[in-house]
Amino acid sequence: MPAPERVPEVGLTTGTQPAADPRDIEALLHGELTVRGQIRDASNAVLYCESTHQGRTVTCVYKPVRGERPLWDFPDGTLAEREVAAYLVSEATGWGLVPPTVLRDGPYGEGMVQLWIESAESVEDDDGDDASAGNGDSGDNGNDDAAGNDADSAGEGPGALLALTEDTEPAPGWKAVVEAQLEGGGRALLVHADDIRLRRLAVLDAVLNNADRKGGHFLPTADGRLYGIDHGVTFHTDDKLRTLLWGWAGEPLPDDAVAVLGKLAADLSGALGEQLAGLLTPAETSALRARVQRLLEGGVHPAPSGDWPSIPWPPV
């Protein structure tokens, strides 16, 4: 079970992704929202929809607030707002790691609406129809992923982002996460790709205090982009970072990440802070500012704190 050979991402030497099409955001915000199906087995209600505005139709997911399952550690009815806040912070970084996400009214009341992203891990079913993985929902910090969001980013094919290997050390191009015990008593090393897109996502997660970054929450696309989804359990005031992206823990932050964090700190005292004030509590916004400042002062990727389960399991 060796780790797969890494295949370089074409045209992503900087890791920067093109900005979202403003027409897509307008369609998400103002379009007529039509439900076409439901993402089954999700922890919360996740509806597959189309939104049409001024002749433009986009596919999207709609997560109504009334379909959110209460959590023991997050205030009820706040997951949609946290998802939108995560998108706004991602946009402020300039990295474009979260699909366009808005808060709006829909057929089942207010909810989060997010542009649907087709994952590169598309497969053909027996009838020859595409069965593509895309934005699903695991909903909270510890529940199973939704069907439709179990893209095999943990697989061992070319371009894989996660892998299990029997080697005791990660191969070149990979970073060790944790040693895992397999069914039957065997052990394997969980590794993730040493990929600039994942590294930037790790920085973003540290800023967001993401409590549930599983492999199924990575959406690599056919054109080489990478998106992170399912940000409902973010922005808690307590340290709840739980992720598979620990491979850079303790390493110095890249120069570009330091520059982005500096800009983010300034933005949080201006327009971004004002936007987030309508989505997060003052305490949560204050904790966000403090996390950015700690990252800047420490200058390194954070390590697991030991006070909170640091790895989501299973990893997909």
Side-chain angles (χ1 to χ4, degrees), residues 98-114:
V98 178
T101 310
V102 302
L103 191 69
R104 58 162 289 181
D105 196 35
Y108 299 101
E110 186 178 60
M112 178 278 274
V113 177
Q114 183 178 80

PDB file of all heavy atoms in Angstrom, residues 98-114:
ATOM      1  N   VAL A  98     -13.033  28.821  -1.000  1.00  0.00           N
ATOM      2  CA  VAL A  98     -14.402  28.440  -0.637  1.00  0.00           C
ATOM      3  C   VAL A  98     -15.323  28.859  -1.779  1.00  0.00           C
ATOM      4  O   VAL A  98     -15.231  29.989  -2.269  1.00  0.00           O
ATOM      5  CB  VAL A  98     -14.841  29.107   0.682  1.00  0.00           C
ATOM      6  CG1 VAL A  98     -16.290  28.751   1.024  1.00  0.00           C
ATOM      7  CG2 VAL A  98     -13.908  28.689   1.817  1.00  0.00           C
ATOM      8  N   PRO A  99     -16.204  27.966  -2.237  1.00  0.00           N
ATOM      9  CA  PRO A  99     -17.113  28.346  -3.320  1.00  0.00           C
ATOM     10  C   PRO A  99     -17.971  29.542  -2.931  1.00  0.00           C
ATOM     11  O   PRO A  99     -18.273  29.740  -1.742  1.00  0.00           O
ATOM     12  CB  PRO A  99     -17.987  27.091  -3.510  1.00  0.00           C
ATOM     13  CG  PRO A  99     -17.196  25.969  -2.936  1.00  0.00           C
ATOM     14  CD  PRO A  99     -16.424  26.564  -1.800  1.00  0.00           C
ATOM     15  N   PRO A 100     -18.388  30.350  -3.894  1.00  0.00           N
ATOM     16  CA  PRO A 100     -19.284  31.475  -3.593  1.00  0.00           C
ATOM     17  C   PRO A 100     -20.472  31.026  -2.751  1.00  0.00           C
ATOM     18  O   PRO A 100     -21.149  30.057  -3.084  1.00  0.00           O
ATOM     19  CB  PRO A 100     -19.721  31.950  -4.984  1.00  0.00           C
ATOM     20  CG  PRO A 100     -18.562  31.609  -5.863  1.00  0.00           C
ATOM     21  CD  PRO A 100     -18.028  30.308  -5.323  1.00  0.00           C
ATOM     22  N   THR A 101     -20.703  31.742  -1.658  1.00  0.00           N
ATOM     23  CA  THR A 101     -21.694  31.348  -0.659  1.00  0.00           C
ATOM     24  C   THR A 101     -22.440  32.586  -0.191  1.00  0.00           C
ATOM     25  O   THR A 101     -21.814  33.591   0.157  1.00  0.00           O
ATOM     26  CB  THR A 101     -21.010  30.678   0.555  1.00  0.00           C
ATOM     27  OG1 THR A 101     -20.110  29.655   0.099  1.00  0.00           O
ATOM     28  CG2 THR A 101     -22.036  30.062   1.495  1.00  0.00           C
ATOM     29  N   VAL A 102     -23.768  32.507  -0.158  1.00  0.00           N
ATOM     30  CA  VAL A 102     -24.577  33.653   0.252  1.00  0.00           C
ATOM     31  C   VAL A 102     -25.629  33.198   1.259  1.00  0.00           C
ATOM     32  O   VAL A 102     -25.936  32.013   1.382  1.00  0.00           O
ATOM     33  CB  VAL A 102     -25.268  34.318  -0.951  1.00  0.00           C
ATOM     34  CG1 VAL A 102     -24.244  34.763  -1.990  1.00  0.00           C
ATOM     35  CG2 VAL A 102     -26.304  33.389  -1.579  1.00  0.00           C
ATOM     36  N   LEU A 103     -26.182  34.165   1.964  1.00  0.00           N
ATOM     37  CA  LEU A 103     -27.298  33.937   2.882  1.00  0.00           C
ATOM     38  C   LEU A 103     -28.530  34.588   2.260  1.00  0.00           C
ATOM     39  O   LEU A 103     -28.507  35.776   1.922  1.00  0.00           O
ATOM     40  CB  LEU A 103     -26.996  34.553   4.245  1.00  0.00           C
ATOM     41  CG  LEU A 103     -27.928  34.203   5.394  1.00  0.00           C
ATOM     42  CD1 LEU A 103     -27.771  32.738   5.782  1.00  0.00           C
ATOM     43  CD2 LEU A 103     -27.652  35.095   6.603  1.00  0.00           C
ATOM     44  N   ARG A 104     -29.596  33.815   2.092  1.00  0.00           N
ATOM     45  CA  ARG A 104     -30.791  34.349   1.451  1.00  0.00           C
ATOM     46  C   ARG A 104     -32.009  33.523   1.837  1.00  0.00           C
ATOM     47  O   ARG A 104     -31.895  32.451   2.426  1.00  0.00           O
ATOM     48  CB  ARG A 104     -30.630  34.355  -0.073  1.00  0.00           C
ATOM     49  CG  ARG A 104     -30.345  32.980  -0.650  1.00  0.00           C
ATOM     50  CD  ARG A 104     -30.619  32.925  -2.144  1.00  0.00           C
ATOM     51  NE  ARG A 104     -32.048  32.989  -2.432  1.00  0.00           N
ATOM     52  CZ  ARG A 104     -32.555  32.943  -3.662  1.00  0.00           C
ATOM     53  NH1 ARG A 104     -31.747  32.874  -4.712  1.00  0.00           N
ATOM     54  NH2 ARG A 104     -33.862  32.982  -3.852  1.00  0.00           N
ATOM     55  N   ASP A 105     -33.155  34.032   1.457  1.00  0.00           N
ATOM     56  CA  ASP A 105     -34.395  33.304   1.665  1.00  0.00           C
ATOM     57  C   ASP A 105     -34.569  32.288   0.543  1.00  0.00           C
ATOM     58  O   ASP A 105     -34.089  32.482  -0.574  1.00  0.00           O
ATOM     59  CB  ASP A 105     -35.573  34.274   1.683  1.00  0.00           C
ATOM     60  CG  ASP A 105     -36.825  33.649   2.279  1.00  0.00           C
ATOM     61  OD1 ASP A 105     -36.691  32.845   3.215  1.00  0.00           O
ATOM     62  OD2 ASP A 105     -37.928  33.955   1.803  1.00  0.00           O
ATOM     63  N   GLY A 106     -35.245  31.182   0.855  1.00  0.00           N
ATOM     64  CA  GLY A 106     -35.490  30.138  -0.127  1.00  0.00           C
ATOM     65  C   GLY A 106     -36.824  29.474   0.133  1.00  0.00           C
ATOM     66  O   GLY A 106     -37.598  29.918   0.993  1.00  0.00           O
ATOM     67  N   PRO A 107     -37.110  28.382  -0.578  1.00  0.00           N
ATOM     68  CA  PRO A 107     -38.409  27.708  -0.424  1.00  0.00           C
ATOM     69  C   PRO A 107     -38.701  27.263   1.002  1.00  0.00           C
ATOM     70  O   PRO A 107     -39.870  27.143   1.384  1.00  0.00           O
ATOM     71  CB  PRO A 107     -38.293  26.508  -1.370  1.00  0.00           C
ATOM     72  CG  PRO A 107     -37.261  26.896  -2.373  1.00  0.00           C
ATOM     73  CD  PRO A 107     -36.297  27.749  -1.631  1.00  0.00           C
ATOM     74  N   TYR A 108     -37.658  27.006   1.796  1.00  0.00           N
ATOM     75  CA  TYR A 108     -37.858  26.553   3.180  1.00  0.00           C
ATOM     76  C   TYR A 108     -37.287  27.552   4.173  1.00  0.00           C
ATOM     77  O   TYR A 108     -36.859  27.181   5.256  1.00  0.00           O
ATOM     78  CB  TYR A 108     -37.239  25.164   3.370  1.00  0.00           C
ATOM     79  CG  TYR A 108     -37.874  24.130   2.463  1.00  0.00           C
ATOM     80  CD1 TYR A 108     -37.237  23.732   1.288  1.00  0.00           C
ATOM     81  CD2 TYR A 108     -39.118  23.587   2.756  1.00  0.00           C
ATOM     82  CE1 TYR A 108     -37.826  22.808   0.444  1.00  0.00           C
ATOM     83  CE2 TYR A 108     -39.716  22.657   1.914  1.00  0.00           C
ATOM     84  CZ  TYR A 108     -39.061  22.275   0.756  1.00  0.00           C
ATOM     85  OH  TYR A 108     -39.645  21.360  -0.087  1.00  0.00           O
ATOM     86  N   GLY A 109     -37.307  28.816   3.790  1.00  0.00           N
ATOM     87  CA  GLY A 109     -36.855  29.858   4.691  1.00  0.00           C
ATOM     88  C   GLY A 109     -35.404  30.241   4.447  1.00  0.00           C
ATOM     89  O   GLY A 109     -34.768  29.821   3.472  1.00  0.00           O
ATOM     90  N   GLU A 110     -34.882  31.058   5.341  1.00  0.00           N
ATOM     91  CA  GLU A 110     -33.507  31.545   5.203  1.00  0.00           C
ATOM     92  C   GLU A 110     -32.521  30.382   5.273  1.00  0.00           C
ATOM     93  O   GLU A 110     -32.709  29.419   6.024  1.00  0.00           O
ATOM     94  CB  GLU A 110     -33.190  32.555   6.310  1.00  0.00           C
ATOM     95  CG  GLU A 110     -31.831  33.220   6.146  1.00  0.00           C
ATOM     96  CD  GLU A 110     -31.549  34.244   7.217  1.00  0.00           C
ATOM     97  OE1 GLU A 110     -31.530  33.856   8.412  1.00  0.00           O
ATOM     98  OE2 GLU A 110     -31.351  35.434   6.870  1.00  0.00           O
ATOM     99  N   GLY A 111     -31.470  30.504   4.495  1.00  0.00           N
ATOM    100  CA  GLY A 111     -30.452  29.465   4.516  1.00  0.00           C
ATOM    101  C   GLY A 111     -29.216  29.874   3.746  1.00  0.00           C
ATOM    102  O   GLY A 111     -29.151  30.962   3.143  1.00  0.00           O
ATOM    103  N   MET A 112     -28.229  29.013   3.773  1.00  0.00           N
ATOM    104  CA  MET A 112     -27.011  29.199   3.011  1.00  0.00           C
ATOM    105  C   MET A 112     -27.200  28.620   1.619  1.00  0.00           C
ATOM    106  O   MET A 112     -27.725  27.523   1.464  1.00  0.00           O
ATOM    107  CB  MET A 112     -25.853  28.485   3.716  1.00  0.00           C
ATOM    108  CG  MET A 112     -24.519  28.575   2.983  1.00  0.00           C
ATOM    109  SD  MET A 112     -24.336  27.355   1.653  1.00  0.00           S
ATOM    110  CE  MET A 112     -23.715  25.975   2.552  1.00  0.00           C
ATOM    111  N   VAL A 113     -26.777  29.379   0.603  1.00  0.00           N
ATOM    112  CA  VAL A 113     -26.801  28.903  -0.784  1.00  0.00           C
ATOM    113  C   VAL A 113     -25.383  29.026  -1.322  1.00  0.00           C
ATOM    114  O   VAL A 113     -24.782  30.102  -1.266  1.00  0.00           O
ATOM    115  CB  VAL A 113     -27.794  29.703  -1.652  1.00  0.00           C
ATOM    116  CG1 VAL A 113     -27.733  29.228  -3.106  1.00  0.00           C
ATOM    117  CG2 VAL A 113     -29.213  29.552  -1.107  1.00  0.00           C
ATOM    118  N   GLN A 114     -24.872  27.919  -1.836  1.00  0.00           N
ATOM    119  CA  GLN A 114     -23.473  27.854  -2.271  1.00  0.00           C
ATOM    120  C   GLN A 114     -23.385  27.277  -3.683  1.00  0.00           C
ATOM    121  O   GLN A 114     -24.072  26.305  -4.011  1.00  0.00           O
ATOM    122  CB  GLN A 114     -22.665  26.979  -1.307  1.00  0.00           C
ATOM    123  CG  GLN A 114     -21.182  26.900  -1.613  1.00  0.00           C
ATOM    124  CD  GLN A 114     -20.448  26.050  -0.567  1.00  0.00           C
ATOM    125  OE1 GLN A 114     -20.463  24.824  -0.631  1.00  0.00           O
ATOM    126  NE2 GLN A 114     -19.834  26.702   0.421  1.00  0.00           N
TER     127      GLN A 114
END
